[in-house]
Amino acid sequence: MTSSAAYTLDDSTADLAGLVELVGRGEVAVLSGAGLSTESGIPDYRGPTGLARRADPMTYQRFVGGEEARRRYWARSHVGWSQMRRARPNAGHRAVAELERRGLLAGIVTQNVDGLHQAAGARQVIELHGGLDRVVCLSCRERTPRAELDRRLREANPGWRATSDAINPDGDAVLTDEQVAGFQVVGCATCGGVLKPDVVFFGENVPKPRVDECFDIVGRARGLLVLGSSLAVRSGLRFVIRAAELGIPVAIVNQGTTRGDAHAELTLDAPLGPTLSRLAARLAAEQGE
């Protein structure tokens, strides 16, 4: 592997040599972030499509602290979900699933909540921050499909219409106060409790057993491949730091610099879909396919 450097991907395959070397060894842990899903039409937080930088994300404390905050969240999320559920895996997701199919991955840890890794066919996926396709009751802890809540919200809000051109990576649409006003929130169908998406909000901790499972994947890996994450928050950065402490080589593919670059042996500044597709093709060629 080369020392840490930045590249701009071109049509040559030389730029991929380091990635081919790392992933070709097998037992590679993947850590993916919002940048992997931008080519599916979902904006990221801090990269080229980072609309969320100008948004006001919901925190766990505000969500549980007031009915109006929950009304705002569910109205915005109800609109955003209609776009999120239509998103389809892009070439990057499909390439990661192909690497898994070839037996080259130790596991996939994703910071994303969109379910696109699984939709592309990946199986060994840990959703670090949960998934938008599920809802949990904060009272009885029952988990139900998001599609069921979507149906109940439409029934509770006949005639309510709102659209938005700005959808954040967590499925939160940007709406005006006028659009939010009058939106009716529903409770748990079993106990009437407060419903929350089964995702980790800002200000909420990732469950420790889930974190431990992610550390276990990184700890037994022969390499760590970071895809589309700026690593701006410790939630993902800690796995890069752990890999570096254990002497596990780290490679980062992202558009723009990341907080983990100093820990990486290889950084590649390039679009994820084309890069990962070429990586998968190179490895297939090396395996004689």
Side-chain angles (χ1 to χ4, degrees):
M1 297 276 285
T2 64
S3 60
S4 180
Y7 298 86
T8 300
L9 187 70
D10 57 29
D11 290 334
S12 74
T13 56
D15 291 327
L16 294 177
L19 290 181
V20 171
E21 178 185 346
L22 175 73
V23 180
R25 299 171 187 169
E27 290 299 309
V28 172
V30 168
L31 172 64
S32 68
L36 185 61
S37 293
T38 58
E39 293 170 37
S40 294
I42 301 173
D44 60 7
Y45 284 100
R46 297 171 179 86
T49 66
L51 296 175
R53 287 175 294 182
R54 299 187 296 274
D56 180 21
M58 178 61 65
T59 66
Y60 180 78
Q61 293 74 18
R62 287 167 61 191
F63 185 85
V64 299
E67 183 177 341
E68 283 306 310
R70 291 192 290 274
R71 184 191 313 280
R72 172 180 174 269
Y73 174 82
W74 280 119
R76 292 164 59 119
S77 186
H78 185 56
V79 173
W81 172 246
S82 65
Q83 177 170 324
M84 293 286 288
R85 68 182 179 184
R86 292 195 299 269
R88 295 294 179 265
N90 62 53
H93 298 111
R94 293 192 294 273
V96 171
E98 176 65 13
L99 296 177
E100 182 190 79
R101 188 188 69 79
R102 292 181 176 277
L104 294 171
L105 303 186
I108 302 165
V109 177
T110 184
Q111 298 171 275
N112 300 337
V113 296
D114 51 39
L116 293 179
H117 274 301
Q118 298 92 317
R123 295 291 176 262
Q124 304 174 69
V125 182
I126 298 178
E127 295 177 310
L128 185 63
H129 297 147
L132 277 178
D133 61 341
R134 305 179 300 275
V135 178
V136 60
C137 173
L138 296 183
S139 296
C140 70
R141 308 308 299 180
E142 180 182 28
R143 283 174 169 78
T144 52
R146 179 62 181 264
E148 179 181 326
L149 175 62
D150 186 60
R151 175 187 59 79
R152 294 180 61 211
L153 286 174
R154 282 187 279 107
E155 291 176 352
N157 293 276
W160 186 84
R161 297 288 184 273
T163 59
S164 174
D165 293 328
I167 307 293
N168 296 320
D170 56 2
D172 183 33
V174 178
L175 299 180
T176 65
D177 292 341
E178 290 74 17
Q179 289 174 308
V180 169
F183 186 82
Q184 297 300 311
V185 177
V186 300
C188 174
T190 299
C191 74
V194 171
L195 293 176
K196 173 184 171 292
D198 195 14
V199 300
V200 178
F201 278 171
F202 288 93
E204 187 178 8
N205 293 323
V206 178
K208 187 177 184 300
R210 193 182 303 167
V211 175
D212 291 342
E213 188 177 3
C214 296
F215 273 128
D216 180 64
I217 289 175
V218 173
R220 57 183 168 82
R222 299 181 65 187
L224 175 61
L225 179 59
V226 180
L227 303 174
S229 176
S230 66
L231 301 171
V233 295
R234 188 167 178 81
S235 178
L237 181 63
R238 56 186 162 183
F239 302 117
V240 173
I241 293 174
R242 174 64 63 86
E245 290 173 344
L246 295 174
I248 296 169
V250 177
I252 301 175
V253 184
N254 187 62
Q255 291 195 270
T257 59
T258 84
R259 282 185 68 193
D261 287 355
H263 302 286
E265 293 192 12
L266 173 67
T267 63
L268 184 58
D269 188 339
L272 277 295
T275 303
L276 295 175
S277 295
R278 288 170 177 158
L279 172 64
R282 279 283 300 273
L283 289 167
E286 292 197 355
Q287 293 179 351
E289 298 182 23

